[in-house]
C-alpha cells in the first residue's frame, strides 16, 4: 500500500513554465513533508520541506502548498529552467512509537523535463 | 548538512556472491537508513540502523539477505548476500538530521549490477 501517492509520473514544460507536482496521504500521523530532487547518478537532495501547521512555504523558485484538511500537498516550481530537469519525490515522515526519531515514506516520483 | 561518503559508487558482481557497501558520515548521527531504488522507481526502505542495537528491517527484507552493521555513530555497512540479478539496484544510505533545514540527507548511492 502506497502511503504517499504522487502525480503525475512525468511532466514536460517549457522554460519559464510552472510545473506542479501533487501528493496525497491518508495517515494523519505524518508530521513532516519534504520534497527531494534527484539527478541521474546522484542521491536525492532535500529541496524544501513543510510541517502540517503551515499552509505554504517558499524558498527561492520552489513553493510547497499544504492542505491539511484535504491531506494533500504540492510543489510548484516558478520560472522553471532546463537545469530543473530531474526526478522529484515527495515524502512524509512518521515518528516511531515512543521516539523523537522517525522514518520517511516516499512517493513514486515525477520525472520533470523542462525544454529550453 | 552532514556529508555522506558511500563506497563503492558502483560494482558489477557475479550471482551468488556478496557485496558490502560502506556508509561514512562526517558527524555523529543516531539513525542511519538503508534504501533500495530500482531503476526509474521510488525509494524503498530496507532497514534502519541504530548504533549498538540490531537493525530494524522493513517488511520483505530479512537480515540473512541484507545484514547490517552499525559499529559507531558515524559508520554503517550493508551487505547484499547471495546476490541474484533481481538485486541489481541502487542502494542508498541516509541519515536523519531532524526536520529543520537539514532534514534527511542521502549519500550518492551504490549502483549494483548482478550478472
Amino acid at each position: 500500500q502506497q502511503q504517499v501517492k504522487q502525480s503525475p509520473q512525468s511532466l514536460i514544460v517549457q522554460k519559464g513554465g510552472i510545473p506542479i507536482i501533487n501528493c496525497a496521504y491518508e495517515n494523519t500521523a505524518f508530521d513532516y513533508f519534504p520534497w527531494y530532487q534527484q539527478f541521474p547518478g546522484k542521491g536525492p537532495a532535500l529541496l524544501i520541506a513543510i510541517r502540517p501547521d503551515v499552509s505554504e512555504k517558499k524558498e527561492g523558485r520552489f513553493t510547497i502548498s499544504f492542505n491539511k484538511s484535504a491531506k494533500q500537498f504540492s510543489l510548484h516550481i516558478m520560472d522553471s529552467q532546463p537545469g530543473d530537469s530531474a526526478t522529484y519525490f515527495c515524502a512524509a515522515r512518521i515518528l516511531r512509537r515512543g521516539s523523537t526519531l522517525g522514518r520517511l515514506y516516499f512517493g513514486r516520483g515525477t520525472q520533470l523535463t523542462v525544454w529550453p | 548538512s552532514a556529508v555522506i561518503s558511500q563506497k563503492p559508487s558502483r560494482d558489477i558482481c557475479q550471482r551468488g556472491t556478496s557485496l558490502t557497501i560502506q556508509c561514512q558520515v562526517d558527524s555523529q548521527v543516531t539513525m542511519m537508513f538503508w534504501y533500495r531504488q530500482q531503476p526509474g522507481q521510488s525509494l524503498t526502505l530496507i532497514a534502519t540502523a541504530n548504533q549498538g542495537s540490531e537493525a530494524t528491517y522493513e517488511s520483505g527484507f530479512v537480515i540473512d539477505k541484507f545484514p547490517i552493521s552499525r559499529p559507531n555513530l558515524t559508520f554503517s555497512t550493508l551487505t547484499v548476500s547471495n546476490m541474484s540479478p533481481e538485486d541489481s539496484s541502487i542502494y542508498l544510505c541516509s541519515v536523519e538530521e531532524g526536520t529543520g533545514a537539514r532534514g534527511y540527507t542521502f549519500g550518492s548511492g551504490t549502483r549494483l549490477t548482478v550478472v
Side-chain angles (χ1 to χ4, degrees), chain A residues 80-105:
Chain A
S80 58
Q81 301 296 312
D84 297 328
S85 297
T87 301
Y88 292 80
F89 292 96
C90 63
R93 183 190 85 149
I94 192 165
L95 288 177
R96 296 179 187 274
R97 201 167 290 178
S99 172
T100 58
L101 301 171
R103 63 151 292 177
L104 293 177
Y105 289 88

Side-chain angles (χ1 to χ4, degrees), chain A residues 2 31-32 36 38 40-46 49 51 89 93 95-96 99-109, chain B residues 30-31 33 35 37 40-43 45 48 56 58 92 96 98-109 111:
Chain A
Q2 191 75 15
D31 71 339
Y32 169 73
Y36 284 86
Q38 185 177 32
K42 302 291 186 182
L46 179 65
R51 300 188 74 97
F89 292 96
R93 183 190 85 149
L95 288 177
R96 296 179 187 274
S99 172
T100 58
L101 301 171
R103 63 151 292 177
L104 293 177
Y105 289 88
F106 283 85
R108 292 189 183 275
Chain B
T30 303
M31 295 179 77
F33 304 87
Y35 288 85
Q37 185 178 27
Q41 301 297 313
S42 186
L43 287 79
L45 183 64
T48 303
T56 302
E58 298 298 312
L92 293 153
E96 177 173 353
T99 57
R102 295 175 296 176
Y104 293 70
T105 301
F106 285 82
S108 55
R111 182 178 294 271

Side-chain angles (χ1 to χ4, degrees), chain A residues 32 34-36 44-49 57 59 104, chain B residues 1-4 26-29 94-106:
Chain A
Y32 169 73
W35 283 90
Y36 284 86
L46 179 65
L47 195 59
I48 186 173
K57 183 174 183 181
E59 289 185 2
L104 293 177
Chain B
S1 298
V3 176
I4 299 175
D26 70 344
S27 58
Q28 294 184 339
V29 292
S94 175
V95 302
E96 177 173 353
E97 297 188 86
T99 57
R102 295 175 296 176
Y104 293 70
T105 301
F106 285 82

Side-chain angles (χ1 to χ4, degrees), chain A residues 3 49-50 81 109:
Chain A
Q3 293 266 4
I50 199 168
Q81 301 296 312

Side-chain angles (χ1 to χ4, degrees), chain B residues 3-72:
Chain B
V3 176
I4 299 175
S5 299
Q6 203 172 322
K7 294 179 181 179
S9 59
R10 59 177 62 229
D11 208 341
I12 301 173
C13 300
Q14 295 289 324
R15 68 175 67 200
T17 63
S18 297
L19 175 71
T20 295
I21 303 167
Q22 298 180 0
C23 179
Q24 178 75 53
V25 190
D26 70 344
S27 58
Q28 294 184 339
V29 292
T30 303
M31 295 179 77
M32 297 179 75
F33 304 87
W34 288 99
Y35 288 85
R36 182 172 72 184
Q37 185 178 27
Q38 294 177 313
Q41 301 297 313
S42 186
L43 287 79
T44 300
L45 183 64
I46 297 172
T48 303
N50 289 341
Q51 191 265 335
S53 63
E54 291 286 324
T56 302
Y57 288 83
E58 298 298 312
S59 176
F61 298 96
V62 295
I63 187 171
D64 290 346
K65 177 67 176 178
F66 298 101
I68 288 172
S69 78
R70 181 80 200 273
N72 57 51

